[in-house]
Amino acid sequence: MKYNFDYEVRYQDVDDTRLLRLNKLEEYLLDVAGRVANNLGFGTSYLLEQNLTWVLTHMNIEIDTLPTHGQVLRFETWIESNAHMLSTRDYRIYINDNDGNDDNWTLIGQCKSVWAVLDLTKREIVNVFDQAAFEGSIDGERLEMARAARPMPIAEPTGVMPYKIRYSDLDYNRHCNSCQYLEIMLDAARLNVEGKKLRIDLSYVKEIGEGAEVEVAYLQGENSMFYQMRDAEGKTNAFARVTIL
């Protein structure tokens, strides 16, 4: 079962190069996931009745070109599997320069995301996929995408940026929003990705709340930027890697 959602890139979603911000691309992908889950009956409202919520654990994106404002993106999405307490949702990304005319869609990217369900009281991952709401929701198509390299702590960073988690970083789960992790990391350092084919690998390790003091360590390579966000105790909250392919 596949679903399609279209988004016109807004002026406020592009950066100083007039290209879609990477954290906004992630935001679109997360919004699609939420809309589909709601349509299928196991969205946030359904889970909150059980004091549960969705959390993103991994996301891997490949995109040939970043759009600019006014261009239209189409996200085709489906659930690949619900297994081992994790739900894998895949996407294909298309672009359209002609106001959504169905004859002008071009495939420009793909994405694989992995989700879990969090118990808001215990702050632990739980298995809910045996509930009736999830029956018949799996499409089963496997998106062929190279696995990301396992992220490792940065021992000798190119630089480090301190940061304090603020009200504007939080979401309804009372922790730092998934997209905000990436935005904060990009504020520390970023590559020139204009006109480049990209891969973005995100790994969420440990939630963090308002007022927490963190630091973003980054390591710049020839064609990549690797990030690690860690708390005051040195424990990792998230990893990200942006690679020019």
Side-chain angles (χ1 to χ4, degrees), residues 3 26 32 38 66 70 73 100 153 162 202:
Y3 291 81
E26 183 188 6
V32 168
N38 285 333
L66 289 171
L73 293 177
L202 305 169

Side-chain angles (χ1 to χ4, degrees), residues 78 102 177 197 202 227:
W78 65 97
D102 280 340
N177 179 272
K197 181 177 180 178
L202 305 169
Y227 304 89

